[in-house]
Amino acid sequence: MSLVLDPAAQDLLFREARTANAFTDEPVTDEQVQAIYDLVKYGPTAFNQSPLRITLVRSPEARERLVQHMAEGNQPKTAAAPLVAILSADNEFHEELPTLFPHFPQAKDLFFSERPAREGAAALNAALQAAYFIIGVRAAGLAAGPMTGLDFEGVRKEFLDDDHTPLMVVNIGKPGPDAWFPRSPRLAYEDVVTTV
């Protein structure tokens, strides 16, 4: 059975997509970011939690503050990318559940009254949304450079608050010269899928 999605779209989103390490200086507009969000917001999360929060780092001052919290090898990429997004999990996402999950308003208190339960749910579901976001960046014809080489606590203190847990930083833009490292191997279907 073949996939329904057009092969060119499959290539754009998956087969030819890699982490970008260099970008052109072409700006990424607010309209592009909104179009990405307006697409990926439909990706499913448990109870429609939607805990991902996106902090766009645009000003030179904010960029400088962020770069100091990145691992040494990630600092030049983050300094040069046209746009950088800090993706975080909102551990107080349950406050939005009466709006986001209106057919079961009790979910807010029944499942998420305790902070540890919220933190676990937020981390898992925001990570799902982060993956959707990266695919959305690709769908917009841009390249994403997601990175977890950073001082998470430093980024949280610098840009977020105690209710938000940083997940990753994503550099965004048009790929520049030598943007890609060679494709790394992938596991074969037989190595991943087990039928029981």
Side-chain angles (χ1 to χ4, degrees):
M1 177 179 166
S2 62
L3 299 174
V4 174
L5 189 65
D6 178 78
Q10 295 173 39
D11 289 343
L12 176 71
L13 299 179
F14 293 99
R15 282 192 287 265
E16 294 183 9
R18 286 179 260 169
T19 297
N21 294 289
F23 299 91
T24 70
D25 58 3
E26 182 178 331
V28 177
T29 67
D30 289 336
E31 291 77 17
Q32 287 173 300
V33 176
Q34 180 157 0
I36 291 165
Y37 176 74
D38 286 341
L39 173 65
V40 303
K41 70 183 178 184
Y42 294 108
T45 56
F47 292 97
N48 199 32
Q49 291 170 23
S50 306
L52 182 71
R53 300 298 179 261
I54 303 166
T55 303
L56 300 178
V57 180
R58 285 206 182 272
S59 74
E61 298 79 18
R63 183 75 60 102
E64 189 173 310
R65 288 166 37 218
L66 176 60
V67 166
Q68 70 180 343
H69 296 292
M70 301 304 295
E72 186 177 342
N74 291 333
Q75 289 179 354
K77 296 183 278 191
T78 302
L83 179 64
V84 182
I86 301 168
L87 305 188
S88 63
D90 182 357
N91 297 307
E92 297 298 310
F93 69 86
H94 68 307
E95 297 296 343
E96 304 292 340
L97 282 182
T99 299
L100 295 175
F101 207 61
H103 51 284
F104 187 29
Q106 311 92 298
K108 175 186 178 223
D109 297 317
L110 188 60
F111 296 108
F112 303 112
S113 61
E114 300 295 324
R115 176 72 178 230
R118 290 197 307 273
E119 287 179 350
L124 173 62
N125 288 280
L128 280 173
Q129 289 186 285
Y132 302 147
F133 180 79
I134 292 165
I135 293 171
V137 168
R138 294 171 180 170
L142 300 169
M147 299 174 296
T148 56
L150 57 113
D151 173 3
F152 285 91
E153 184 60 16
V155 168
R156 187 192 63 74
K157 286 180 178 177
E158 191 77 40
F159 292 94
L160 306 171
D161 58 34
D162 289 339
D163 291 329
H164 292 80
T165 302
L167 301 172
M168 67 183 67
V169 168
V170 183
N171 295 329
I172 304 168
K174 291 281 188 182
D178 302 316
W180 319 116
F181 294 149
R183 167 73 73 195
S184 296
R186 296 297 190 268
L187 293 173
Y189 177 86
E190 297 77 16
D191 296 327
V192 174
V193 178
T194 303
T195 302
V196 295

